[in-house]
Every structure is written in C-alpha cells, then in structure tokens.
Amino acid sequence: MNTNEVQLVRSLQEGDKDACRQLIDRYSSKIYGVALRLMKEPMEAEEVLQETFIDACNAVEDFEGRSSLGTWLYRIATNNSLMRLRSQPEGVVSLDPSTEPDLTLVPQQLNAWPEEPERLALDQELRRVMEAAVEKLSPSLRAAFVLRDLQELSTAEAAEALGISESAVKVRLHRARLELRETLAAYFIQEGDA
Amino acid sequence: MHNPSSPECQRLLNSLSEFIDNELPFEGQQRLKAHLAGCQDCRVLVQTMEKTLQLYQRLEQPILPPEAVDRLWQTLKSEGCLDPDQPETPNSM
C-alpha cells in the first residue's frame, strides 16, 4: 500500500467518518462496475455495493494491509456477488472447483476478422454483443475476466480478490478469453457476410 | 475447424493467454514466436485474441448513478457506518 492508502486505513480504523467518505468517493464506482458485470442487474449490483461498504466499514479494524485497500474491497464485493449468484434459484451456479484447464475448448472460428476491430467504433450493437458475451460466461470465469482484464488488476491482485491461486486465475482467464474470442469471431464473420 | 493436432499448436492454445500477456519464460515465448512464423492458423488465433482484448479495453466502465450514491450514503448512515448528520459531498468520480 502507498502512504496515502496507509493513512486512509489508519483513519478508518480510528473511526474517522471523513475517511469513510473518502473510501466511498475513491472506490464506489469501481466496486459498482464489478458488481454490475457479475450480477447483470443494476438493482442487485447496487445491493452488492451497499453490502460491500457496510462489510468494509465493519471489518476495517481487522484489515491487516497484506493487500491493497482496493483489492480488499474487490474481494468483499466479489464474495458478496458470488454468494448471491449461488443462492439464485435458476440453475446451479458452477464455481468451477476444478482448476484444470479445459483442453477441449478448441477455437472454432479461425478466419481473420474482416475489419480491423480497433478501428471500429464501439457502436451500440457491438457493445451489446460484447456485454452479452461477458454475461454468458460462467460466474467464476466472468469474475476472473472482469477483475483482470476490465478492472486491470494484476494476476496476484485478482488471485487475492478471488481467494484462489494465481495459476487458477490464469486458467479461468484463459478460458474466459477463448470464449469471448469465439463469440466476437462469430459476430465479425457474420457482419462480414452481411 | 482448426484441429490443433500438432504439439506446437496445442502448446500455443494452452499458453495463449500467458503468451499474449508476455508471462511465459523467455524460452517458451521465443519458441511459440518461432511457431507462429510458420503457422497461419495460430497467427490468426493470436491476432484475433489480441483484438478481442483491445476491444474490451475500450468498453466503458458502468456508470454509478448519482441516486445510487445517495442511497449508499443513506444506507451507511442507517447502519451506523456514518454519522447521521454527516454532510454528503458531491460525487467526485
């Protein structure tokens, strides 16, 4: 943790309410972003956001600073999200207890994409396809991808936030990326044929 | 459909994320680069994976609505995490 963060943690542990405001200002948007991508529904994401900050405020005295404050909050938010997903009645939420790579995930689409995607504007349809592809991932793969590639945590930070090993993060991230690539590849090929 | 029957194709597939993130050991990274020079299917796989990640990095972060921030404040006050009289500040995000 940097000096700024050390001071913030100390203030929080001393019960400084202004420090709590700083915590909210600094992290609420990021935590909401993760929660929304995991839960898919804004109301559920907001509930996770509230739970996360309540839990953080109540547990800050026990925070030992082994990870950064942000990583710690991501961990609380991710745990809260995944617990909610586990309790949802529709379907069984597989949290991929196995960390073995699925080597049967062979790419189906191996045509070069017809346009240079980096020059494409992220128009509404493409954005919708991309968001839908993330939502289609299983919760455990989605969590790894959101933390690592969208929130740009390091592998070590993502492992800390997810409570798994770094190698498990890499396996889940690999699978998530392959699935997303397949979805986008199918979209761009279809667009090219239109 | 690409069938990664060659050991090198399979090795690339298994290590694709680490290769793109430049997290493989030097020898492994170099070996896969050499394979890419001679395998179009694997080149397409790497290029389209890189493009996938570039696109997602351009995706906007979800916006936290101001009213949700207000509700967060209210909830934290009612939970005793904040003083009831503590003034809220404008959302600085």
Side-chain angles (χ1 to χ4, degrees):
Chain A
M1 288 197 296
N2 58 40
T3 310
N4 207 358
E5 214 172 67
V6 169
Q7 284 173 346
L8 178 58
V9 169
R10 192 171 298 136
S11 299
L12 286 165
Q13 291 174 331
E14 290 169 356
D16 182 345
K17 300 303 185 191
D18 190 61
C20 203
R21 176 187 60 76
Q22 288 182 49
L23 189 72
I24 295 167
D25 281 351
R26 203 179 287 192
Y27 293 109
S28 57
S29 193
K30 293 178 184 178
I31 295 300
Y32 179 75
V34 168
L36 184 60
R37 289 223 157 91
L38 291 179
M39 302 307 302
K40 306 178 197 177
E41 292 292 329
M43 281 310 296
E44 296 238 40
E46 192 178 330
E47 287 173 10
V48 168
L49 173 71
Q50 292 177 2
E51 285 169 10
T52 298
F53 277 94
I54 291 169
D55 290 347
C57 286
N58 289 335
V60 73
E61 287 176 10
D62 300 327
F63 177 66
E64 295 173 354
R66 281 175 293 163
S67 67
S68 72
L69 199 50
T71 302
W72 181 63
L73 286 170
Y74 280 131
R75 176 155 190 170
I76 298 173
T78 305
N79 282 344
N80 286 343
S81 299
L82 293 178
M83 276 199 305
R84 280 176 166 257
L85 288 170
R86 260 191 220 118
S87 66
Q88 283 179 352
E90 53 276 351
V92 173
V93 174
S94 165
L95 293 182
D96 290 341
S98 165
T99 59
E100 292 301 311
D102 181 2
L103 299 180
T104 63
L105 195 60
V106 176
Q108 304 291 313
Q109 301 278 358
L110 267 181
N111 297 315
W113 292 353
E115 294 187 51
E116 291 297 317
E118 57 268 21
R119 291 210 296 267
L120 288 173
L122 284 187
D123 63 20
Q124 201 167 8
E125 190 194 351
L126 177 54
R127 205 177 282 123
R128 184 190 57 76
V129 169
M130 290 169 65
E131 295 278 11
V134 175
E135 289 181 10
K136 216 175 97 183
L137 295 172
S138 71
S140 63
L141 300 191
R142 192 158 73 239
F145 177 75
V146 167
L147 289 173
R148 185 78 178 79
D149 281 341
L150 298 185
Q151 298 299 323
E152 297 182 334
L153 269 63
S154 68
T155 301
E157 288 169 336
E160 175 68 32
L162 291 166
I164 59 178
S165 67
E166 289 187 34
S167 59
V169 170
K170 289 181 181 183
V171 167
R172 294 182 189 190
L173 183 67
H174 173 66
R175 293 186 61 188
R177 286 173 170 181
L178 281 177
E179 287 189 29
L180 293 171
R181 193 209 76 93
E182 282 301 296
T183 302
L184 289 191
Y187 169 78
F188 283 121
I189 299 302
Q190 183 186 2
E191 286 293 296
D193 289 343
Chain B
M1 181 180 85
H2 176 50
N3 185 6
S5 55
S6 89
E8 284 302 312
C9 291
Q10 186 65 55
R11 191 172 286 119
L12 178 81
L13 177 61
N14 294 347
S15 310
L16 183 59
S17 273
E18 289 179 285
F19 176 74
I20 285 173
D21 292 341
N22 210 25
E23 289 180 350
L24 288 177
F26 178 78
E27 295 80 10
Q29 202 85 12
Q30 294 303 111
R31 186 171 173 174
L32 289 180
K33 279 183 182 172
H35 170 70
L36 286 176
C39 182
Q40 186 183 350
D41 281 348
C42 283
R43 273 203 306 279
V44 169
L45 182 58
V46 169
Q47 286 162 4
T48 52
M49 180 61 83
E50 287 174 336
K51 289 174 183 178
T52 298
L53 298 182
Q54 285 164 14
L55 280 171
Y56 273 102
Q57 282 159 7
R58 291 167 56 197
L59 203 59
E60 297 91 358
Q61 290 279 359
I63 294 174
L64 178 58
E67 55 271 23
V69 179
D70 292 339
R71 287 191 287 265
L72 176 62
W73 275 88
Q74 295 312 314
T75 299
L76 291 175
K77 285 179 181 177
S78 68
E79 292 288 327
C81 299
L82 293 170
D83 285 331
D85 300 326
Q86 181 162 4
E88 294 161 33
T89 58
N91 187 346
S92 61
M93 291 161 293

